[in-house]
Amino acid sequence: PSMLSSPFVFLHSMIASRVPPGSRCFSARMVTRRAIVQTKASNKDEDTLLFDIPTGKYRDDDIPTTFAYPHCFEPHPIAKYAADELRSWLSETDHKSFNRRDAECGKMYGVLVCRQNDDRLGYLRAYSGTMPDVADPTEFGFCPSVYDRFAEESFYAAGERELNEMNRLIEKLEKDPGLMVQRDELVGIEKMCHERWLKAKQHQKQEKGKRAAIRQASEELCEAEFDDLDEQLKQEGAFIQREMKKLKLQNKQEIAEARQRLLHLEDRISRLKEERKLKSSLLQDRLFDQYKF
């Protein structure tokens, strides 16, 4: 690959072997996302997408007979010429979608050199993916897309409309005031239960301290009286312990009920998101199938 003047744009260029007599099909292959752009032509008069290469730019005995290895090769001078021609056009055009010197992202362009049926050389131009504000690439001398996923009647456009409708529904449900109320209610109940538990634990600790003080102050009692008092204090401690268990269960139940009310609302959103994810994946797979040959 040869780098263009812009640091974000790279040009992939190659030169094709001679096209068999009678063949009218040429293709420009882009590196990005398996996109392959095709057009049909036999000479410049029939196809405005095929750009002539002046005969003075090459010699017949200098034309390769096979494609170079695409992952490690030195572009042929003729391919470099075609690449430079496209680079010049990109730098001179006034169309904002192609002349993007201030763009923060790059764009992959490609050229394919081929021999026409009248033995003259020409080249095709293509770019990967889509271009903003460009409905028809052929209007600017680029090969058309193999599949126009943005065509109004395409399955992809219909699928995107369905996904967008699901997005709007999910957004509406996520902004539902009832959902916000349930979320706030759950937060409030969790906070209340936490504070109630801390207060009960503090009370339990205080009562335990009081019983210990009573025992210490009652050491002078006779053994029978002390045993009766100790038993009473133990019963008080056991009662508080049972109350703590009941409170713990109560807190757990109140939080669970609040969560269930919230999950009832969130479950529909979760199911819609899973359905959207599946539909999106199937739509992408079907789209990629359009680029298999």
Side-chain angles (χ1 to χ4, degrees), residues 25-239:
C25 183
F26 306 88
S27 67
R29 181 180 295 268
M30 306 310 297
V31 178
T32 306
R33 292 178 69 112
R34 299 189 294 175
I36 302 174
V37 184
Q38 289 188 327
T39 187
K40 293 183 178 180
S42 61
N43 56 55
K44 188 69 167 65
D45 295 332
E46 292 185 11
D47 198 318
T48 57
L49 301 182
L50 191 60
F51 294 81
D52 281 327
I53 297 178
T55 55
K57 297 293 182 180
Y58 61 91
R59 300 194 316 270
D60 285 342
D61 58 0
D62 189 38
I63 298 176
T65 58
T66 59
F67 276 108
Y69 181 61
H71 301 295
C72 182
F73 73 102
E74 176 64 25
H76 191 278
I78 302 177
K80 288 183 177 181
Y81 167 81
D84 288 339
E85 288 291 295
L86 177 53
R87 178 173 59 184
S88 296
W89 183 86
L90 291 171
S91 64
E92 295 172 3
T93 181
D94 294 330
H95 196 284
K96 63 180 181 179
S97 293
F98 294 101
N99 192 345
R100 304 172 65 192
R101 295 184 179 277
D102 59 344
E104 296 182 358
C105 57
K107 189 67 177 177
M108 185 73 74
Y109 292 88
V111 298
L112 180 71
V113 176
C114 49
R115 186 185 290 279
Q116 305 174 64
N117 288 341
D118 59 5
D119 282 340
R120 292 182 297 121
L121 290 188
Y123 68 91
L124 299 170
R125 313 186 316 187
Y127 54 81
S128 82
T130 58
M131 192 72 73
D133 302 320
V134 176
D136 183 4
T138 62
E139 294 181 2
F140 301 92
F142 289 93
C143 294
S145 302
V146 173
Y147 176 74
D148 184 4
R149 66 181 187 272
F150 296 112
E152 187 68 23
E153 69 280 2
S154 72
F155 73 84
Y156 188 84
E160 274 208 326
R161 287 193 293 270
E162 183 180 6
L163 290 174
N164 289 335
E165 184 63 31
M166 293 181 71
N167 288 336
R168 286 190 287 269
L169 177 57
I170 290 173
E171 183 178 1
K172 179 181 178 180
L173 292 174
E174 288 180 333
K175 294 181 178 180
D176 183 4
L179 179 63
M180 303 300 176
V181 169
Q182 289 299 329
R183 285 176 176 168
D184 291 342
E185 181 182 278
L186 175 59
V187 172
I189 289 177
E190 288 177 333
K191 181 180 179 181
M192 178 196 68
C193 290
H194 179 68
E195 292 175 349
R196 187 164 58 186
W197 179 255
L198 291 180
K199 185 177 180 180
K201 289 289 289 184
Q202 184 179 12
H203 174 72
Q204 183 186 33
K205 184 177 180 180
Q206 291 173 346
E207 291 300 311
K208 184 177 181 180
K210 289 179 181 180
R211 291 195 301 274
I214 293 174
R215 284 190 177 95
Q216 186 176 5
S218 304
E219 291 179 350
E220 296 181 357
L221 294 175
C222 66
E223 184 177 350
E225 291 177 342
F226 183 84
D227 288 344
D228 290 341
L229 177 62
D230 186 57
E231 181 62 27
Q232 179 183 345
L233 294 175
K234 286 180 180 179
Q235 291 298 325
E236 291 178 1
F239 173 78

Side-chain angles (χ1 to χ4, degrees), residues 241-270:
Q241 187 65 29
R242 289 193 297 271
E243 290 298 307
M244 291 294 293
K245 289 182 179 180
K246 288 170 59 178
L247 179 60
K248 184 177 182 180
L249 184 62
Q250 179 184 349
N251 287 346
K252 184 177 180 180
Q253 184 175 352
E254 290 182 7
I255 291 175
E257 290 174 354
R259 282 179 178 167
Q260 187 60 39
R261 290 192 292 272
L262 177 60
L263 286 175
H264 179 72
L265 298 176
E266 291 182 331
D267 183 59
R268 186 185 179 190
I269 297 175
S270 297

